[in-house]
Amino acid sequence: MYSNILRHPGPTPIPKKVQLAMSQDIISHRSEEFVKLFRETTNRVKPIFGTKQEILLLPSGGTAALEAAVVNTVSPGEEVVVVSIGAFGDYFVSICEKHGFHAHVLRKPWGEACTSEDLATFLEPLSNIKAVFVTYNETSTGILNPVKELAKVVREKSDALFIVDGVSCIGGVPVKMDQWGIDILVTGSQKAMMLPPGLAFVSVSDRAWKVIEENKTSAYYLNLLSYREWAQKGMTPNTPAITLIYGLSAACDLIEAEGFDQTVARHELMKDMVRAAMKALSIGVLTSDEYASPTITAIMAPEGINLSQFLGHLKKQYHLDFAGGLGELQGKIFRFGHMGYCFPSDILQAISLIEAGLQDFNYSFEPAAGISAAQKVFLEAQKK
């Protein structure tokens, strides 16, 4: 049986080096060996977050880390601002409302970013805002919010904490948590970090720790004070995903060998290749170039083609597996993930198979137009 070519926005392909690292013999999470592994590995993640703060590891998916960021900083009845530009911004809204927080929601149409002007105008009449929650990379639309600029607005317009969901981009985009003024930054293992699902990362500023210490959260499993206490010992409060931490060490090897600046540049290049190919094939993309995500591209259904049938055909005939649209975009777009263990050669392969599928559906285009456009972008980048 053939393996599918996974081009989803998560989970993403796992490097062989990471797979082999995870096959090592298990060790106790209370052993000296684990303490060494934990401390060395979390320290190596800090540059990826752009922080000197501790990296806390939660044995969970990214959603649990989002909930931890919420319940540790806000108490029932307090007011927050949530910026939602898609399905995962709505996650923050749901979490806040579930816990009894008063959420002021800044909604943008799906496919648009939240600008600093948008946020400044929204915050102007508000007061007593405890936290502002923003999605850095909106997986449902392929938008990268201008988090650096949004952080500056929050600092200028309020005393609120600035809390960022970086689940679908950290490891593939630039981020300077300390320098930009991000108070809590979270991500998950199964995206650009090149690991299987099951591990979440949280980093917290000194300013946010002061709020958390006074908040008296009712959380037990997601109590960040407990994670901080145990991290100081080189451990986690509960049994962690030990094999994933082995894998994380190997993933750090790969990122360090490439150089993180080059990792970021590779993601930008793959984004440009995909967008150029779709333009050459007269297939629309959802977002503008200015705010396009380096880790995922939302691609419109080719004109005259039933998208569900087309994606099913690509998977069955060519073993090429894309994600469909979510919510209001279901049936209108498909999502091309290009993050983590993905390279320009993988982009060229996927575009070639898309073209084969388009021919099968009698879509009119110049043969190899997409491949040629993507290859041109790639070759020009090599000259720089």
Side-chain angles (χ1 to χ4, degrees), residues 271-284:
K271 172 199 73 176
D272 292 342
M273 290 173 67
V274 171
R275 294 177 73 82
M278 293 306 108
K279 182 178 180 180
L281 293 170
S282 299
I283 297 174

Side-chain angles (χ1 to χ4, degrees), residues 207-227:
R207 183 168 173 264
W209 278 125
K210 291 178 182 177
V211 173
I212 292 171
E213 288 163 1
E214 296 173 358
N215 191 53
K216 308 300 182 184
T217 180
S218 61
Y220 177 76
Y221 191 76
L222 297 179
N223 189 323
L224 293 181
L225 290 173
S226 179
Y227 280 91

Side-chain angles (χ1 to χ4, degrees), residues 160-230:
L161 297 178
F162 186 57
I163 299 175
V164 175
D165 164 10
V167 170
S168 62
C169 64
I170 300 303
V173 299
V175 61
K176 302 291 184 183
M177 177 180 164
D178 298 347
Q179 182 180 321
W180 294 356
I182 297 172
D183 289 300
I184 299 182
L185 179 63
V186 309
T187 196
S189 56
Q190 76 276 21
K191 308 282 189 174
M193 295 302 293
M194 302 183 289
L195 293 162
L199 192 64
F201 308 72
V202 181
S203 192
V204 181
S205 72
D206 291 336
R207 183 168 173 264
W209 278 125
K210 291 178 182 177
V211 173
I212 292 171
E213 288 163 1
E214 296 173 358
N215 191 53
K216 308 300 182 184
T217 180
S218 61
Y220 177 76
Y221 191 76
L222 297 179
N223 189 323
L224 293 181
L225 290 173
S226 179
Y227 280 91
R228 181 178 67 171
E229 177 186 349
W230 281 91

Side-chain angles (χ1 to χ4, degrees), residues 48-75:
I48 299 171
F49 274 60
T51 188
K52 294 181 180 179
Q53 301 292 340
E54 292 297 325
I55 303 296
L56 308 179
L57 300 182
L58 281 61
S60 68
T63 304
L66 299 183
E67 185 165 11
V70 172
V71 300
N72 282 270
T73 56
V74 188
S75 298

